[in-house]
Amino acid sequence: MAANSAVPAKMKAWVYREHGDVATVLRLDSELEVPEVQEGQVLVKVLAAALNPVDTMRVNGVFQLPGFALPAVPGYDLAGIVVKVGREVKDLKVGDEVYGFMWHAKKDGTLAEYAALEVAFLALKPKKLSFEEAASLPAVIQTAYGGLERAGLSRGKSVLVLGGAGGVGTITIQLAKEVFGASRVAATSSTGKLDLLKSLGADLAIDYTKVNFEDLPEKFDVVYDAVGQSARAVKAVKPGGSVVEIVELDKELPPPAFSFVATSDRWTLEKVKPLLESGKVKPVIDPKSPFPFAQAIEAFSYLQTGRATGKVVIHPVP
């Protein structure tokens, strides 16, 4: 879309008006009003979006942010073009190619033709990346980066990533090596994905169908649990180490595990931009992706199998 194209009053969007199973409650609405741009926001023509497990939890009603209201549009990740700029916006202009993570969305998410969001949640899209690749990154790269940072991973330390072939895991492996300087990176996956882990930088690829990682003699400074196995994860950490838990957020965790939920900020996206431009950190998109916008429910169903490699992406968004 050209930057100066007129913004229509209505748009296509996936909407749910009650909580429940995605296939039952999610409906395509062709007459949803395009969101108004508030002060400090921009309107983005969404060209690609990506799904996260939390999107399903949001539709199910398992996870809700304060102030949330129905009907709502799911989706947090997006990449697109700025088509309208609100008051007090200085960092972005109409025509900018951007990507970001609408974590604080109360109602309108990214599975829509247009999304209004705060400038603080957006960064300029790395030129090297396609819109599909860019859309796959914001939630997982901020979750991976923030979790490793809070766990205290630093140069010379070791890390074990549980769920290394998933959306967060594939990025965590790369960041552990390229940003945090881990001396040894281990990761778990099923048999067919071990080569992927190695290609991303894992020194040790563990087949969880054959090996119990907690029974290995080797222990790690940091265990990054992207699959919800905190009780086992704490058995694989060295004394004084940390376990990052991003799945079991509503339960009491065994020490030294702690829950981590990413907040949306452009700082992380800006910080990793040189790594994305150079190709040192690469987006990983599931081979079945992208799903066309009309097949969003199929995309959700596939995500819910738990078998996706990397991210499930929706593109193009009409």
Side-chain angles (χ1 to χ4, degrees):
M1 167 177 284
N4 60 358
S5 295
V7 177
K10 307 282 188 181
M11 66 177 182
K12 292 178 182 174
W14 286 94
V15 180
Y16 58 105
R17 291 176 164 79
E18 59 182 322
H19 293 297
D21 179 68
V22 174
T24 304
V25 301
L26 197 60
R27 293 286 181 269
L28 184 59
D29 188 333
S30 300
E31 292 291 316
L32 200 69
E33 289 188 8
V34 172
E36 292 289 329
V37 178
Q38 307 298 323
E39 185 174 314
Q41 291 186 330
V42 296
L43 186 69
V44 176
K45 171 65 184 85
V46 182
L47 297 180
L51 299 184
N52 297 285
V54 71
D55 293 311
T56 300
M57 294 165 66
R58 188 177 160 194
V59 176
N60 294 160
V62 175
F63 179 86
Q64 290 187 39
L65 288 167
F68 177 81
L70 291 171
V73 176
Y76 291 107
D77 284 318
L78 68 89
I81 299 173
V82 175
V83 292
K84 194 173 182 180
V85 175
R87 295 196 318 277
E88 302 301 321
V89 171
K90 298 179 177 65
D91 297 338
L92 293 174
K93 64 185 186 302
V94 170
D96 282 344
E97 297 183 352
V98 294
Y99 72 135
F101 173 38
M102 289 182 69
W103 181 237
H104 299 293
K106 300 288 193 300
K107 179 181 172 64
D108 297 321
T110 62
L111 288 188
E113 288 185 86
Y114 295 91
L117 62 165
E118 285 72 13
V119 174
F121 302 163
L122 288 168
L124 292 173
K125 180 180 76 65
K127 291 183 172 60
K128 181 184 176 70
L129 300 184
S130 67
F131 285 101
E132 304 99 287
E133 290 172 326
S136 77
L137 286 169
V140 293
I141 213 162
Q142 292 177 72
T143 302
Y145 195 106
L148 291 174
E149 188 173 53
R150 188 164 154 208
L153 185 64
S154 57
R155 191 161 300 282
K157 290 186 176 181
S158 60
V159 60
L160 168 63
V161 182
L162 305 182
V168 173
T170 52
I171 299 298
T172 302
I173 292 168
Q174 296 178 76
L175 293 182
K177 278 281 188 182
E178 297 294 340
V179 175
F180 293 87
S183 59
R184 185 158 169 81
V185 177
T188 65
S189 78
S190 57
T191 312
K193 299 177 182 179
L194 298 174
D195 287 342
L196 170 67
L197 303 187
K198 293 172 185 172
S199 74
L200 295 173
D203 304 292
L204 174 64
I206 302 166
D207 186 341
Y208 70 72
T209 69
K210 298 175 181 174
V211 177
N212 291 325
F213 63 84
E214 69 271 33
D215 295 336
L216 295 171
E218 182 178 4
K219 305 302 175 187
F220 301 86
D221 295 298
V222 173
V223 179
Y224 196 113
D225 180 13
V227 292
Q229 296 181 334
S230 59
R232 296 173 62 195
V234 296
K235 297 175 183 175
V237 70
K238 291 179 181 177
S242 297
V243 175
V244 187
E245 175 58 62
I246 65 167
V247 178
E248 298 172 318
L249 303 177
D250 58 348
K251 63 181 283 187
E252 194 169 325
L253 299 175
F258 64 88
S259 294
F260 180 77
V261 178
T263 53
S264 185
D265 72 276
R266 72 187 305 173
W267 179 84
T268 304
L269 296 179
E270 295 288 359
K271 192 170 181 67
V272 298
K273 189 174 181 180
L275 296 165
L276 295 167
E277 293 283 21
S278 69
K280 286 186 175 179
V281 174
K282 299 180 178 68
V284 179
I285 296 175
D286 187 88
K288 290 186 184 293
S289 284
F291 285 80
F293 189 70
Q295 291 180 15
I297 291 175
E298 288 87 343
F300 268 104
S301 296
Y302 179 59
L303 178 71
Q304 289 171 297
T305 67
R307 292 197 287 268
T309 300
K311 288 298 291 289
V312 175
V313 175
I314 308 288
H315 173 83
V317 178

